[in-house]
C-alpha cells in the first residue's frame, strides 16, 4: 500500500476544518431561530451577538400565539391540501408525459420533445396566465395553484431521461409477452426509476410548500391563503400587529420578536422533516436522469 505524504494529511485536515466551518455557518441561522423562539422575550431583546442556548426561562408562548391565529391554521390546511393534491397531479402527468416522450418508436418524438423544451425558456407571461386562469373559472380557487403548474418542464426532462436509461430490451421482452404500455410503465419502468421518482416528490413538494406569488395573484379570500402567503403578509407587510390584536397578545417589540421567530420555525420545520427520508435517493435520482439524453 502506497504511503500517503504529509501534504495529503494536511490537505485532508484542512478540508475537514473548512467543510465543518461551512456546515456550522449553514446550520447556525436555523439553530439561532429555534433557540430564539423559546427564549425569554425580554432577555432576547437585550441580548446581542451569538446565541448558543435559550435565554431566561424556556417559553412556548410564541408557538401558542401562532396556533391561536385562525389564518395560520387555515394556511396550514390549505398548504397541505395543495401539497397532496398537487403531488398527485404533478407525478401522474409528469410520469405519463415522460414515458410517452421516452418511447423510441413514437412518431415525431424529437419535435415533440423540442416543443416541450421550448416552454422552459419562453412563456406567455403573467397577464396571459392570469386571463387563462380567469377564463377557466379558477380565480379565488385552490385549483389555480394546482392545475396551471401541474408539470415542470425540467422535471419532465429528468424523468424522461430516467426512463430512457432503462434497457430497451426489458420493454421489448414485456411486449413479446403481451404487456401493454400501462403494464410496462407500472411493472417495469416505475420500479426501476424509484430514485428519480423520489427526487420528483422532493422537487414538487418544496415548490408547493414555498409558493406564495401565484396565491397572491389568484386568491382573494384570506381563508384560502396558503401558509407562506399568510406568513408573508404577517412578516413582510407589517400585519403582525393585527395578528397580535386578533389573538389578544400585547403589542410590544419583545412579543413581536418572539412571534416572528416562532412563525419562521413553524413554516420551515415540516419540509425539513421530509428531506431526510428522500435525501438518500437525491444524488442517484438526479444522476440517473442526467446522464442519458
Amino acid at each position: 500500500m502506497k504511503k500517503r505524504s504529509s501534504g495529503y494529511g494536511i490537505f485532508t485536515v484542512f478540508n475537514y476544518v473548512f467543510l465543518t466551518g461551512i456546515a456550522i455557518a449553514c446550520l447556525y441561522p436555523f439553530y439561532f431561530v429555534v433557540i430564539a423562539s423559546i427564549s425569554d422575550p425580554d432577555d432576547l431583546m437585550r441580548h446581542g451577538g451569538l446565541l448558543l442556548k435559550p435565554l431566561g426561562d424556556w417559553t412556548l408562548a410564541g408557538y401558542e400565539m401562532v396556533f391561536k391565529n385562525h389564518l395560520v391554521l387555515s394556511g396550514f390546511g390549505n398548504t397541505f391540501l395543495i401539497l397532496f393534491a398537487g403531488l398527485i397531479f404533478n407525478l401522474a402527468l409528469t410520469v405519463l408525459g415522460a414515458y410517452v416522450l421516452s418511447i423510441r418508436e413514437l412518431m415525431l418524438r424529437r419535435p415533440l420533445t423540442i416543443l416541450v423544451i421550448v416552454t422552459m425558456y419562453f412563456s406567455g407571461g403573467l397577464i396571459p396566465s392570469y386571463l387563462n386562469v380567469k377564463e377557466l373559472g379558477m380565480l379565488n380557487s385552490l385549483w389555480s395553484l394546482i392545475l396551471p403548474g401541474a408539470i415542470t418542464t425540467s422535471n419532465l426532462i429528468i424523468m424522461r431521461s430516467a426512463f430512457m436509461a432503462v434497457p430497451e430490451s426489458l420493454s421489448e421482452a414485456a411486449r413479446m409477452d403481451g404487456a401493454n404500455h400501462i403494464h410496462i410503465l407500472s411493472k417495469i419502468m416505475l420500479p426501476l426509476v424509484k430514485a428519480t421518482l423520489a427526487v420528483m416528490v422532493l422537487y414538487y413538494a418544496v415548490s408547493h410548500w414555498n409558493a406564495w406569488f401565484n396565491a397572491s395573484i389568484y386568491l382573494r379570500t384570506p381563508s384560502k391563503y396558503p401558509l407562506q402567503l399568510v406568513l408573508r403578509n404577517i412578516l413582510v407587510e407589517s400585519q403582525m400587529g393585527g395578528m397580535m390584536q386578533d389573538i389578544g397578545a400585547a403589542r410590544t417589540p419583545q412579543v413581536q420578536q418572539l412571534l416572528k421567530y416562532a412563525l419562521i420555525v413553524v413554516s420551515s420545520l415540516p419540509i425539513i422533516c421530509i428531506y431526510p427520508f428522500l435525501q438518500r435517493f437525491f444524488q442517484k435520482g438526479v444522476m440517473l436522469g442526467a446522464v442519458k439524453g
Side-chain angles (χ1 to χ4, degrees):
M1 181 177 179
K2 186 177 179 180
K3 186 178 180 179
R4 292 176 176 174
S5 64
S6 59
Y8 180 84
I10 295 174
F11 177 74
T12 302
V13 172
F14 173 79
N15 270 347
Y16 277 115
V17 172
F18 179 70
L19 294 175
T20 300
I22 292 179
I24 293 174
C26 294
L27 294 174
Y28 177 74
F30 186 74
Y31 174 79
F32 177 91
V33 171
V34 173
I35 295 302
S37 69
I38 58 176
S39 296
D40 182 88
D42 294 322
D43 293 339
L44 185 62
M45 287 295 294
R46 291 191 295 265
H47 180 78
L50 295 176
L51 185 62
L52 301 178
K53 63 179 182 178
L55 301 174
D57 297 329
W58 290 26
T59 177
L60 298 177
Y63 296 99
E64 292 175 1
M65 288 187 289
V66 167
F67 289 108
K68 281 182 179 179
N69 183 269
H70 68 282
L71 286 181
V72 172
L73 296 178
S74 65
F76 260 112
N78 293 332
T79 296
F80 280 116
L81 179 60
I82 294 168
L83 179 64
F84 290 122
L87 278 177
I88 292 173
F89 280 94
N90 294 145
L91 296 178
L93 296 179
T94 300
V95 165
L96 291 174
Y99 176 71
V100 170
L101 294 179
S102 70
I103 300 175
R104 290 172 174 82
E105 62 270 19
L106 177 69
M107 184 180 298
L108 302 177
R109 180 174 67 89
R110 188 172 296 275
L112 288 174
T113 303
I114 294 174
L115 288 176
V116 170
I117 294 175
V118 166
T119 64
M120 293 177 61
Y121 306 100
F122 303 97
S123 66
L126 180 59
I127 295 177
S129 298
Y130 178 87
L131 294 176
N132 189 34
V133 170
K134 180 180 179 181
E135 290 301 319
L136 291 173
M138 293 190 295
L139 278 183
N140 202 31
S141 168
L142 295 183
W143 288 111
S144 63
L145 310 181
I146 297 173
L147 295 181
I151 298 179
T152 300
T153 306
S154 57
N155 293 343
L156 178 66
I157 298 302
I158 292 174
M159 200 74 213
R160 166 188 172 272
S161 299
F163 283 144
M164 295 189 70
V166 177
E168 190 176 5
S169 57
L170 296 177
S171 300
E172 292 176 351
R175 282 195 290 268
M176 292 177 62
D177 290 337
N180 56 29
H181 286 294
I182 295 177
H183 288 95
I184 293 173
L185 176 61
S186 60
K187 303 297 184 181
I188 298 176
M189 292 296 189
L190 288 181
L192 293 176
V193 297
K194 288 188 295 184
T196 305
L197 200 61
V199 173
M200 295 297 102
V201 172
L202 181 62
Y203 281 171
Y204 280 122
V206 171
S207 176
H208 284 303
W209 187 266
N210 292 333
W212 62 269
F213 182 72
N214 286 346
S216 68
I217 297 173
Y218 301 137
L219 301 182
R220 294 292 178 266
T221 305
S223 61
K224 296 181 179 180
Y225 287 174
L227 180 64
Q228 299 302 333
L229 182 57
V230 173
L231 299 184
R232 181 183 181 276
N233 291 342
I234 293 172
L235 297 176
V236 178
E237 298 185 359
S238 301
Q239 295 183 11
M240 187 173 291
M243 174 182 175
M244 295 168 66
Q245 184 176 1
D246 291 342
I247 62 179
R251 296 179 60 178
T252 62
Q254 293 90 336
V255 176
Q256 289 185 11
Q257 192 82 342
L258 188 66
L259 183 59
K260 178 179 69 175
Y261 289 128
L263 284 169
I264 294 173
V265 173
V266 165
S267 63
S268 305
L269 192 59
I271 202 68
I272 291 176
C273 292
I274 293 175
Y275 181 77
F277 297 99
L278 301 176
Q279 187 272 338
R280 65 191 181 97
F281 298 107
F282 189 79
Q283 182 179 0
K284 179 181 177 182
V286 172
M287 292 303 296
L288 181 64
V291 297
K292 185 80 172 179

